């Protein structure tokens, strides 16, 4: 049986460590895949537990000098990692400050001649009496050694880890530091013995030669600077997980539940499915569940991106971490623990950060041989300079510089830190990448294929037109009548009618004898009269004649991608309604943004060609392929791939799953089906098509950042190692002091991490416009209703009203209803705070102003836009 687990690995300090752990674990019998992440200190494993036991994995890791523990032995990863990094950062800070306390006097003592010369002052007499002169050479050396010992003890981890891994055949960065600084210390001790012998034998030449030629200060400086770099690196690493930590902090730690008639406060981990959870106004909901009792406006903005709270009533689903704003709720727990939506999101982001992008493979291969290669180069440098006739001190200095300047850490951090920050930033924006590979694949696509229903469009029809054909019938009366006829139907058009009626507080007409006519429509009896609602075939079968006017209107509706619904009584056609699945407000801007990025856009749909063409034109999509079966969608993507295109598929339904799997990168709309989400590489939580564009931009930014990091890591080592080895010394006299080599090595990792942290400042291309866009619904976006027919009117005049007090789409709906109830055709613009109204002479400007003010808003000014004659 295959098991997938995430383990914690301790003791890794560089990419050489992670590479060795990965190779060791991957070679175990029964191990299918192993991926070690240096940044998170973890490894993702997939193995056959019939062939391989966890104890064998743990032993294999421990045998090469590291620690390992399985997921069952640790706290939730997002919390343990943050706490561990903060603790590690604190330890490194104290280590650095304590090392610095001893390094300052050590450095000042060793370099006192240079420092005093630079300051232009002379040493005090007591100092010269103790340390100056060949007779004080041993005292001078011993004092430096004594100051160095505490620094070595404080940083003994480098020696214990470095020599342990070296002896086990897997040297790492600590090995380089241990060998480099240890060589300097051993040379210093050798000098002390030489000075002691020379002093006892009166050999002044040796005293003069070695008195100022010790490397104790270099060893101390190397250890202190490396610790300082590690501290800065640790602080930077901790910041890479701030997005995940912020998301985890949204979920409350405790819940108020009702058991045996009593209220108890328990940790969320102890809540069970079926428990009744009590949520008061202002509290965060602790679990996913359904409302049993109560009403409240619930803020779900962290999940949906909608700024307006959603009204929740009994039977409605609620999500953990959302906030009950206005009312008290009794909620029955449905999903608890790791099954909750917010936990699944956190787990998805963590797994994405832990997974390796393919681009990291080159760095991993280099890291596996890096440290042994550096040790070999250091040995060759030492031997080469000695053979060239240089002094032992010069050869040793160059050899030590090679060891301490080499930085496998930068190579190891180049990819995971960028992936971690990028996926964390994506989670903040409502974009979930399932792996580092998903990031890389999405960044390379050149074609976006969009499903129509639920992706380019809203995924459910709304009423778009109400056209009375009886002069005595008002639009609202026709809507009430149609809602009554369709009341017993489950057809999407019936749902659109019902939603429209609710949004305008219209009570459906009371109907009886409801009858469903398959493939045609429905009929019902209202006030003793039989009414029919359906397509043209129903009208024909019922003997209802369609007029040239109704034919033209239905054709116009169909050309716009809508569905006409004919309403008739026993004798004649009395009205026409239209419903359509509207294009999402952000679809056209998303397509335009993709075009600006040089991306080809294609829409795939199973709908008919006329509807598909209407949606294509409205959304601005260049290409459309219609009447596709689910398997044909995947075939079309395969065909694009055979022509050399890298394809991203964006979809939301079960029928999109084959295409999502076939595409190079599958992107699922978060409001879609679980099958679509499971099949995708990227999930857009907020269900906005513009987020697909931002996912692409973020993926490209992450890959660009990784390439910058890898370039810096390779460039740094390619330049630093030859310089440290002294290859430029014969030509230019350039030689790198080991102290500066240690400083450069420390800063290289900090630079890589800091560069990756720039991804935290990634911003959507146009966040302001995206924030204003809302999914179209009948309640939020009132349909345009033609002005009521008024036989006495001879002229139509238009006004623009400037209205104060509209703050949201609900306000816009109220104003639009107030104006259309006056017998007008009104277009309300929320952003500009205006309403453009067309009405007959019988409707006065004062009537319009009064209607707006009765709705609770203020008309600040008006404009007359003109009049035109209406044909008789």
């Amino acid at each position: 049986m295959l098991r997938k687990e995430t383990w914690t690995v301790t003791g890794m300090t560089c990419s050489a460590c992670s590479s060795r752990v990965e190779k060791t674990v991957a070679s175990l019998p029964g191990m299918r895949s192993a991926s070690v992440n240096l940044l998170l200190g973890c490894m993702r494993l997939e193995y056959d537990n019939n062939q391989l036991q966890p104890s064998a994995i743990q032993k294999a890791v421990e045998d090469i000098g590291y620690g390992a523990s399985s997921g069952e032995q640790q706290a939730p990863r997002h919390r343990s990692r943050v706490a561990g990094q903060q603790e590690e950062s604190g330890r490194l800070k104290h280590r650095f400050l304590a090392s610095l306390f001893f390094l300052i006097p050590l450095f000042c003592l060793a370099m006192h001649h240079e420092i005093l010369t630079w300051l232009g002052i002379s040493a005090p007499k007591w100092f010269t009496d103790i340390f100056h002169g060949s007779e004080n050479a041993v005292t001078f050396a011993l004092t430096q050694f004594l100051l160095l010992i505490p620094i070595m003890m404080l940083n003994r981890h480098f020696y214990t880890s470095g020599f342990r891994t070296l002896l086990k055949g897997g040297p790492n960065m600590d090995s380089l530091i241990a060998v480099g600084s240890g060589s300097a210390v051993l040379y210093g001790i050798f000098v002390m013995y030489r000075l002691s012998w020379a002093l006892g034998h009166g050999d002044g030449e040796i005293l003069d030669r070695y008195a100022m030629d010790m490397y104790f200060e270099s060893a101390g400086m190397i250890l202190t600077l490396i610790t300082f770099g590690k501290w800065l690196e640790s602080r930077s690493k901790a910041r890479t997980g701030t997005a995940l930590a912020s998301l985890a902090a949204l979920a409350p730690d405790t819940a108020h539940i009702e058991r045996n008639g009593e209220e108890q406060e328990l940790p969320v981990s102890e809540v069970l499915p079926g428990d009744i959870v009590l949520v008061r106004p202002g509290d965060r909901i602790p679990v996913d569940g359904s409302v049993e009792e109560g009403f409240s406006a619930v803020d779900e903005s962290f999940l949906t991106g909608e700024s307006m709270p959603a009204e929740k009533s009994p039977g409605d689903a609620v999500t953990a971490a959302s906030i009950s704003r206005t009312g008290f709720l009794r909620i029955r727990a449905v999903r608890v623990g790791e099954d909750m939506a917010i936990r699944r999101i956190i787990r998805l982001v963590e797994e994405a950060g832990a997974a390796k992008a393919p681009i990291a493979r080159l760095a991993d291969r280099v890291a596996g041989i890096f440290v042994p290669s550096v040790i070999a180069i250091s040995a060759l440098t030492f031997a080469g300079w000695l053979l060239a006739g240089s002094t032992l001190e010069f050869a040793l200095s160059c050899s030590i510089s090679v060891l301490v300047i080499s930085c496998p850490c930068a190579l190891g951090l180049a990819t995971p830190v960028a992936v971690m920050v990028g996926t964390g930033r994506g989670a903040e924006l409502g974009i979930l990448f399932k792996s580092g590979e998903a990031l890389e694949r999405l960044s390379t696509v050149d074609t976006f294929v969009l499903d129509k229903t639920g992706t380019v469009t809203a995924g459910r029809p709304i009423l778009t037109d109400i056209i009375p054909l009886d002069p005595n019938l008002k639009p609202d009366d026709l809507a009430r009548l149609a809602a009554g006829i369709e009341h017993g139907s489950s057809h999407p058009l019936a749902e659109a009618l019902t939603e429209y009626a609710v949004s305008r507080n219209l009570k459906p007409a009371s109907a009886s004898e409801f009858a469903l006519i398959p493939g045609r429509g429905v009929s019902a009896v209202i006030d003793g009269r039989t009414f029919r609602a359906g397509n043209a075939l129903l009208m024909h079968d019922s003997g209802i004649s369609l007029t040239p006017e109704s034919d033209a209107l239905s054709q116009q509706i169909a050309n716009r991608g809508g569905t006409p619904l004919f309403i008739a009584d026993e004798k004649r056609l009395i009205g026409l309604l239209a419903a359509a699945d509207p294009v999402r407000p952000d679809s056209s801007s998303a397509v335009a943004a993709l075009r600006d990025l040089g991306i080809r856009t294609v829409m795939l749909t199973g709908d008919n060609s006329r509807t598909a063409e209407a949606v294509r034109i409205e959304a601005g999509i260049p290409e459309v392929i219609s009447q596709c079966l689910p398997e044909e969608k995947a075939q079309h993507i395969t065909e694009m791939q055979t022509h050399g295109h890298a394809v991203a598929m964006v979809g939301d339904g079960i029928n999109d799953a084959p295409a999502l799997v076939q595409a190079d990168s599958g992107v699922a709309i978060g409001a879609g089906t679980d099958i679509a989400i499971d099949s995708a590489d990227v999930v857009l939580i907020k269900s906005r098509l513009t987020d697909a564009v931002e996912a692409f931009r973020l993926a490209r930014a992450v890959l660009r950042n990784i390439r910058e990091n890898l370039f810096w890591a390779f460039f740094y080592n390619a330049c630093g190692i030859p310089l440290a080895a002294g290859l430029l010394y014969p030509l230019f006299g350039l030689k790198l002091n080991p102290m500066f080599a240690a400083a450069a090595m420390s800063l290289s990792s900090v630079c890589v991490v800091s560069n990756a942290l720039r991804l935290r400042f990634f911003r959507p291309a146009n966040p302001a416009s995206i924030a204003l866009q809302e999914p179209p619904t009948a309640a939020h976006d009132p349909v345009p209703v033609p002005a009521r027919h008024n036989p006495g009117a001879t002229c139509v005049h238009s006004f623009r009203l400037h209205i104060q007090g509209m703050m949201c789409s609900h306000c816009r709906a109220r104003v639009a209803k107030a104006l259309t109830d006056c017998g007008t055709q009104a277009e309300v613009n929320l952003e500009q705070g205006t309403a453009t109204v067309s009405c007959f002479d019988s409707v006065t400007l004062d009537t319009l102003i009064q209607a707006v003010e009765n709705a609770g808003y203020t008309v600040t000014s008006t404009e007359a836009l003109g009049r035109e004659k209406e044909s008789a």
Side-chain angles (χ1 to χ4, degrees), residues 558-604:
N559 289 338
R560 297 201 316 257
T563 302
L565 182 70
F566 297 93
I567 310 295
D569 59 15
E570 295 103 328
K571 300 178 180 179
R572 59 194 175 89
L573 188 68
I574 62 173
L576 186 64
L577 278 69
D581 183 7
V583 172
R584 289 177 180 269
D586 62 340
S587 291
S588 58
S589 58
V591 172
L594 288 171
R595 182 175 61 249
D596 292 342
L597 290 168
I599 301 299
R600 173 192 178 200
T601 309
V602 181
M603 184 173 73
L604 277 182

Side-chain angles (χ1 to χ4, degrees), residues 440-701:
E440 184 168 347
R441 286 207 305 262
L442 182 60
S443 71
T444 62
V445 302
D446 58 25
T447 302
F448 261 73
V449 175
L450 311 176
D451 174 53
K452 180 182 78 71
T453 305
T455 301
V456 177
T457 65
R460 56 189 177 86
I462 65 169
L463 208 59
T464 58
D465 297 274
I466 302 175
I467 307 172
L469 299 177
D470 183 341
N472 299 315
L473 196 63
K474 299 176 182 178
D476 281 355
D477 294 334
L478 181 60
R480 290 181 61 254
L481 187 66
I485 300 170
E486 294 276 4
H487 191 66
S489 172
S490 59
H491 193 276
L493 290 178
E495 296 177 6
L497 263 170
T498 302
E499 185 176 342
Y500 175 77
V502 169
S503 72
R504 297 178 64 83
N505 297 319
L506 299 177
K507 184 179 180 182
S510 179
S512 61
E513 300 182 31
F514 173 83
L516 175 65
I517 306 165
R520 300 291 191 271
V522 296
S523 67
V525 175
I526 299 175
D527 295 332
R529 300 168 60 193
T530 299
F531 290 88
R532 296 171 179 84
N535 56 25
L537 290 174
L538 177 62
M539 299 298 107
H540 180 270
D541 294 348
S542 304
I544 306 296
S545 299
L546 300 181
T547 65
E549 180 187 7
S550 65
D551 282 338
L553 287 170
S554 64
Q555 186 66 32
Q556 184 181 0
I557 290 167
N559 289 338
R560 297 201 316 257
T563 302
L565 182 70
F566 297 93
I567 310 295
D569 59 15
E570 295 103 328
K571 300 178 180 179
R572 59 194 175 89
L573 188 68
I574 62 173
L576 186 64
L577 278 69
D581 183 7
V583 172
R584 289 177 180 269
D586 62 340
S587 291
S588 58
S589 58
V591 172
L594 288 171
R595 182 175 61 249
D596 292 342
L597 290 168
I599 301 299
R600 173 192 178 200
T601 309
V602 181
M603 184 173 73
L604 277 182
T605 177
D607 217 331
N608 64 74
S609 57
R610 186 161 58 178
T611 300
E613 181 65 15
V615 173
R616 182 196 73 79
I617 293 172
E618 186 175 352
I621 300 172
E623 303 176 50
V624 62
I625 303 173
S626 57
Q627 297 176 314
C628 295
L629 297 174
E631 59 272 18
E632 292 175 338
K633 290 183 179 181
Q635 291 170 7
H636 282 295
I637 289 178
T638 302
E639 184 178 349
M640 294 177 194
Q641 291 169 328
T642 58
H643 285 85
H645 293 289
V647 182
M649 171 70 191
V650 186
D652 75 318
I654 293 175
N655 62 335
D656 297 323
L660 289 169
V661 173
Q662 176 60 43
D664 296 279
S665 180
V667 182
I669 296 289
T673 64
D674 289 341
I675 293 177
I677 292 172
D678 289 343
S679 303
D681 304 300
V682 184
V683 180
L684 309 179
I685 298 177
K686 296 177 182 178
S687 300
R688 296 188 302 216
L689 190 55
T690 44
D691 282 348
V693 183
E694 300 311 324
F696 175 68
R697 291 181 60 246
L698 179 57
R700 291 213 306 194

